[in-house]
Amino acid sequence: MPTLILVRHGRSTANTEGLLAGWTPGVALDERGAAQAAALPGRLAALPLSEVVTSPLQRCQETIRPLLDARPGLRAHTDERIGECHYGDWSGRKLAELKDEPLMEVVQAHPSAAAFPGGESMRAMQTRAAEAAREWNARVERDHGADAVYLMCSHGDIIKSLVAEALGLHLDLFQRISVEPCSVTAIRYTRLRPFLVRLGDTGDFASLAPHEETPGDQAPVGGGAGAP
């Protein structure tokens, strides 16, 4: 079966403002995010991509645009199932305000039981994303062969949930996974099981150095802003 390249969108204005964007309209890439997107075609130059699938949200569309411009023959598709988690009433709020909400403790420690007020559950988020990946795997294999490579541009929590699903990890463990803005994660699917062959690769190790915003034992809901 095909190899799936998962790209998280570049750093957004919501990331730098500390907001939980969700499906809030008008969230664009910031200056650094635009630079990350511009570098993406070079980073992926060696990959014979057969298809591109993207979240409908603006920050993903902007991230993938330079790659599509560099490869005018590459087909692009939009799939709402790999759009961000529907955070409902939490959308657009400051993460600093949300950290004291009782639900945040559940999101951190028991996400399989977390459902956002006016939004969706994290279980539903993972289910729709995994169904999309399976369906696109079958479609890409049918159209391009079992050795095909294709790309999905999505969001932090979506990518983390797909990694957990591929590794057979319970959703309650997915907060242990980290994917930075414009990082590349690769899952190679086979008939019997998937293999995680890259995780959160940015080619930049600056985020491993200590800095003031190191979150300690809290996972950044929505994915975080990456290196300062």
Side-chain angles (χ1 to χ4, degrees):
M1 295 182 72
T3 296
L4 170 58
I5 307 298
L6 291 160
V7 175
R8 185 183 167 202
H9 62 78
R11 196 173 74 175
S12 71
T13 54
N15 292 145
T16 48
E17 293 170 10
L19 300 176
L20 187 62
W23 285 69
T24 304
V27 176
L29 299 183
D30 67 7
E31 185 175 353
R32 179 174 180 174
Q36 291 171 329
L40 195 58
R43 292 171 60 199
L44 300 178
L47 294 180
L49 297 174
S50 58
E51 305 275 2
V52 166
V53 187
T54 181
S55 158
L57 295 175
Q58 180 179 338
R59 53 198 182 272
C60 286
Q61 300 278 337
E62 290 180 355
T63 297
I64 216 66
R65 177 49 51 194
L67 178 65
L68 296 176
D69 289 344
R71 302 194 192 192
L74 190 58
R75 296 175 59 192
H77 312 268
T78 297
D79 193 327
E80 291 196 357
R81 294 174 298 176
I82 61 167
E84 180 63 283
C85 184
H86 290 276
Y87 296 116
D89 298 344
W90 280 25
S91 299
R93 291 182 60 187
K94 287 272 190 184
L95 287 164
E97 298 172 359
L98 293 170
K99 66 181 178 62
D100 294 325
E101 293 275 357
L103 178 59
M104 183 60 85
E105 186 177 11
V106 182
V107 169
Q108 292 290 326
H110 191 18
S112 65
F116 295 97
E120 71 178 332
S121 69
M122 301 198 93
R123 293 191 316 279
M125 174 199 74
Q126 183 186 43
T127 297
R128 63 174 165 85
E131 287 177 350
R134 291 190 190 97
E135 289 181 18
W136 277 104
N137 283 345
R139 178 172 173 175
V140 169
E141 182 173 12
R142 181 196 68 203
D143 294 345
H144 302 282
D147 295 329
V149 180
Y150 76 107
L151 182 148
M152 281 185 171
C153 185
S154 189
H155 307 265
D157 282 349
I158 295 290
I159 294 172
K160 288 162 56 178
S161 74
L162 286 173
V163 169
E165 198 265 348
L167 292 176
L169 295 177
H170 196 282
L171 184 60
D172 286 345
L173 301 179
F174 101 124
Q175 296 290 27
R176 302 183 184 192
I177 299 165
S178 176
V179 290
E180 291 196 9
C182 224
S183 62
V184 173
T185 294
I187 301 172
R188 180 170 294 130
Y189 289 88
T190 73
R191 185 175 64 87
L192 296 180
R193 58 191 172 188
F195 293 88
L196 179 66
V197 292
R198 291 288 188 280
L199 176 61
D201 189 341
T202 64
D204 178 4
F205 296 103
S207 64
L208 301 181
H211 54 89
E212 291 182 4
E213 297 180 3
T214 299
D217 62 358
Q218 296 295 300
V221 180

